[in-house]
Structure formats: structure tokens, C-alpha cells
Amino acid sequence: MVVALAHTGVPDAEALAEADTDDAIDVVVAGDDEIVYPPEATSGTVVTEGEARANYLGELRLSVDTDAGAVTGFDGDLLPVTDGIPKDPEASATIADYRGEAKLDTVIAESAVPLDARFATNYHRESNYGNLITDAMRERTGADVAITNAGGIRSNAVYGPGPITGGDVFNTLPFANTLVTVELTGEELVETLASQVITLESDTGRAFGEEISQQVSGVRFEWVPHEGVDERVRDVRVGGEPLDPEATYEVAVNSFIAAGGSGYPLADKPRVAETDVLLATAVVEYLDARGTVAPTVEGRMQRVDRDLPDASVTVDGNGKVVARFDTPADVESVATDTVAVRSPDGERVAAEHAVFDADEGTLVARVDDAALADAVGDAADGDELPVDLYAEYDSTEFDHVYFERSRLNADVTATVRDRGRGAPAGR
């Protein structure tokens, strides 16, 4: 008898059964769309799925004609798993030993903020929990950059604020993935990051919205989720410095994506180090060493749908910085409360005031000069620094599935003039 264990949903399992015109597959046990589907025949093949998270035990009995090598009948059901089912003492003892060793029932840290392990967040945008995971990877390995795939972050739940146990971490990182460090050129790093961009126009994008499908540490970049663009990943900075396409970088990943999982182009890349450290264990130890955590979303991955013209401003710490932009034709309105500038280190400065003129097709943004001067840090007189302006807008062209609005970006050159904080206000 042939039983296929398929990491697909029930509709794909039924399509497989219908395509099996030779009746070579007797049973398909599915598991991906997480539905309750007791055994049912489709084109002579039994299909079943037991939802998820061990909520059901599937029982299937086949009547088999051994001479003909064929299934002649079946029956079965999905049995709910409840606390009333007695546990096997020997298995329970083994599990208890491991739970203690892995600190599954031990509070390892307090989180001052909710840790977002939801699928919708981690597939579409930077998350604070994704930042924590990849920060732990980078600290453990000493790599320049860390990347983990969104599909490796499970449970689809939010943890905290409050106590976090080792079991919470293993719930979110349940796979036996270990830490691996690969060596990539700057060009290969861009290719690696771009491999996870799902465009709005693709089949997946039309169903679920554009996706970035990963979480990162040590790197910042913009991603453009559309077909026909020159660069899907651009303006990449590693460790705060512009990416050098020809330089080499050490990149910490999990063993699944190091082998090419999730479409990452890493299977043939040089491995600097391989460990037997589980990703979940690295995160548990990272949390345990800190006691209290409060990870934030820092602007590591910036979605951009349309570009504004480049601009130049002077930053002297006094008065206001004002910039005017002609907007693309698809801009219907701008959410002016989303207009903000980010420094090369990712620090965000919200615009004090922004005005969109639909008739003129212009956006004017005003930022406090002192706040922008603080954001660019210790820059010297005459330094020219790249900063970015971002704004969300309603588009006449893009119909988003996940995101509420489209996003604009302008590359702005900020020239620093050291006039001293005590100088009179104004420009």
C-alpha cells in the first residue's frame, strides 16, 4: 500500500488524488491548511487531515485484498485529544527530563512588550520578535548579518508582555534547525535578500499581498514588491555602512535555508562555521542572559512602492528643514501623519507638518532641524549624509491585500553645517 504524507492542504491533496489515474496512491494524509477533515475518498484515494497542534489523533482502517494489492474499503475518524486521555508513564518521564533540560517550563525572561510571532506579521514586515531571533543568531555566531525565514517562526501567537518560558521559544521555533554561518559577497547578499520578495502582481501576492518573508539583523534595506523594477532590494547597509558588492560578509542563517530551503540561493555557498546549536536554544540562552527584553521594530526592511524625486537639505540643528516633492501620478492622497525621515542608522524623525496638494501633485514636509541633527549623530561640518523620507499614500493603481496603503520614498542628501546649538533659530 502507498500512503503519501503531503505537506499540502486538502484541496491540493484531492487534486493529487484526481491526477493519480493509475490509482498508485491509496491514502494521502495532508497537513498545511489546518482543517478538520475525517477520512474521505476522492477518485478512489482516501484523503484526511487532522487540523494542527496535536488536536486530533487520526485513526484509519483499510480493508486490503492482498492478492490484488488493492484497498477494497476503509473507515476511520479523527479522535479529539483531551486532558482526559491517560499518559504513558515511561514516555512522560522521558519528556519531563527533556522539559527540564531545555527549560521548557522555566521562566527565562520578562518581556516588557508583546512578542509578535504571528504569521501575518513575520511574512509581510519586520517584527520585534524576528529582530530578537536574528539578533540572538548574530550575537551567538559573531556574524555581520543574520537572516531567518518567516516560515520557520511558528505558533501564530503573541507572547507577553510578561514572563517568557523556554517552551514559548520552542513553540515558535519548533524545527531542528541549527546555526550555520555562510560567506557571501555583497552582491550575493543582495540576491539572498531579494529571493524572499513576493510581488503584489504574483499569484501569491494577489492572494496574500506582497511579502518580504524573512527577518534580519545587522542589515537594513528597501524592498520593492513589484514586477518590472530594476532592483527588488536596494539601498542596503551592513553594520551602518553602505554595502560593498565585492566585499565578503559572514551571514548567520539556520540550517534549513543554508541548504536552499525556502528558495534561498545558499546551498552552494562557502560555510564558515557549522554548529549543532539549535536556533531555539540560541534564543533561549540569549533571553536567559538578559532577564528583561523589549525589542522594537527599527526600520530594518522598508517597503517602497513609488519614488519621489531626490532632494537636498541643510541640517544645522536650528529652525526647520523643509522639502517639497512632486508626487507620482498614482498618488490620490497622502496619510500625512505617516511622513517621517530615517537616518542611516534607522532612527526615525516624524515630520512636524506635511501637506499634500492633490491639484498641484506636490507633497511638502517640515521636520524639526534639532531632531534631525540628533538623528544624524556626530556628523562633522560639511558631511553629506543619506537620509530617507517615507510616506504612506492611497494609490489609484495598487490594490493591496495585506497593507492598508502604498508607500513613497525619497532619497535625501543632508548636508551638516555646524553652527552650534546656541545659534539663533531659523534658516
Side-chain angles (χ1 to χ4, degrees), residues 44-294:
T45 298
V46 181
V47 176
T48 185
E49 181 179 352
E51 200 182 55
R53 288 169 284 280
N55 290 334
Y56 293 89
L57 177 68
E59 184 177 43
L60 177 62
R61 294 172 295 275
L62 303 177
S63 299
V64 179
D65 183 337
T66 54
D67 293 331
V71 173
T72 58
F74 74 95
D75 65 81
D77 206 346
L78 299 178
L79 311 177
V81 177
T82 68
D83 291 336
I85 299 174
K87 298 178 181 180
D88 179 88
E90 191 173 339
S92 293
T94 301
I95 292 169
D97 287 345
Y98 182 75
R99 292 188 72 87
E101 179 184 338
K103 300 184 177 181
L104 299 187
D105 302 310
T106 302
V107 174
I108 55 174
E110 292 280 333
S111 179
V113 296
L115 301 179
D116 192 347
R118 292 175 298 178
F119 292 144
T121 304
N122 284 284
Y123 270 94
H124 289 93
R125 64 198 334 158
E126 174 191 351
S127 75
N128 69 340
Y129 189 50
N131 288 351
L132 186 150
I133 292 169
T134 50
D135 285 351
M137 295 169 66
R138 193 158 62 94
E139 179 178 276
R140 184 63 175 256
T141 60
D144 302 305
V145 173
I147 304 171
T148 197
N149 57 315
I153 303 173
R154 313 299 280 197
S155 92
N156 198 29
V158 176
Y159 296 84
I164 305 298
T165 67
D168 294 332
V169 175
F170 274 82
N171 280 341
T172 61
L173 302 171
F175 302 108
N177 293 328
T178 55
L179 295 180
V180 176
T181 303
V182 298
E183 185 178 80
L184 303 177
T185 66
E187 184 177 0
E188 290 169 338
L189 176 56
V190 172
E191 179 189 7
T192 299
L193 296 170
S195 70
Q196 301 307 296
V197 176
I198 303 297
T199 65
L200 181 62
E201 296 81 10
S202 67
D203 290 342
T204 300
R206 285 196 293 269
F208 302 105
E210 60 268 59
E211 297 177 354
I212 187 58
S213 300
Q214 63 194 335
Q215 299 295 318
V216 300
S217 175
V219 63
R220 297 179 185 275
F221 60 91
E222 293 175 348
W223 59 286
V224 185
H226 297 290
E227 301 293 334
V229 298
D230 294 333
E231 299 175 296
R232 291 199 180 153
V233 165
R234 65 188 198 183
D235 290 357
V236 183
R237 301 181 73 87
V238 176
E241 297 297 326
L243 177 107
D244 182 344
E246 298 181 358
T248 57
Y249 299 92
E250 291 189 358
V251 181
V253 296
N254 67 59
S255 52
F256 172 70
I257 65 177
S262 288
Y264 280 93
L266 299 176
D268 61 345
K269 299 300 185 284
R271 298 193 177 193
V272 177
E274 297 186 58
T275 74
D276 59 358
V277 177
L278 289 175
L279 175 54
T281 299
V283 175
V284 167
E285 294 177 354
Y286 179 86
L287 288 167
D288 200 15
R290 280 159 176 75
T292 301
V293 295

Side-chain angles (χ1 to χ4, degrees), residues 272-329:
V272 177
E274 297 186 58
T275 74
D276 59 358
V277 177
L278 289 175
L279 175 54
T281 299
V283 175
V284 167
E285 294 177 354
Y286 179 86
L287 288 167
D288 200 15
R290 280 159 176 75
T292 301
V293 295
T296 60
V297 173
E298 303 172 356
R300 299 180 183 185
M301 302 184 294
Q302 294 285 352
R303 174 176 59 95
V304 174
D305 293 289
R306 284 279 187 257
D307 289 315
L308 295 168
D310 294 349
S312 298
V313 297
T314 300
V315 178
D316 58 22
N318 298 284
K320 308 298 177 184
V321 175
V322 179
R324 179 185 181 280
F325 304 92
D326 293 325
T327 57

Side-chain angles (χ1 to χ4, degrees), residues 346-385:
E347 187 169 345
R348 183 179 185 274
V349 180
E352 281 188 331
H353 188 61
V355 176
F356 171 67
D357 187 323
D359 293 331
E360 296 292 329
T362 58
L363 172 66
V364 178
R366 186 182 76 204
V367 177
D368 181 71
D369 201 331
L372 189 55
D374 286 340
V376 299
D378 298 328
D381 184 37
D383 284 352
E384 294 185 349
L385 302 177

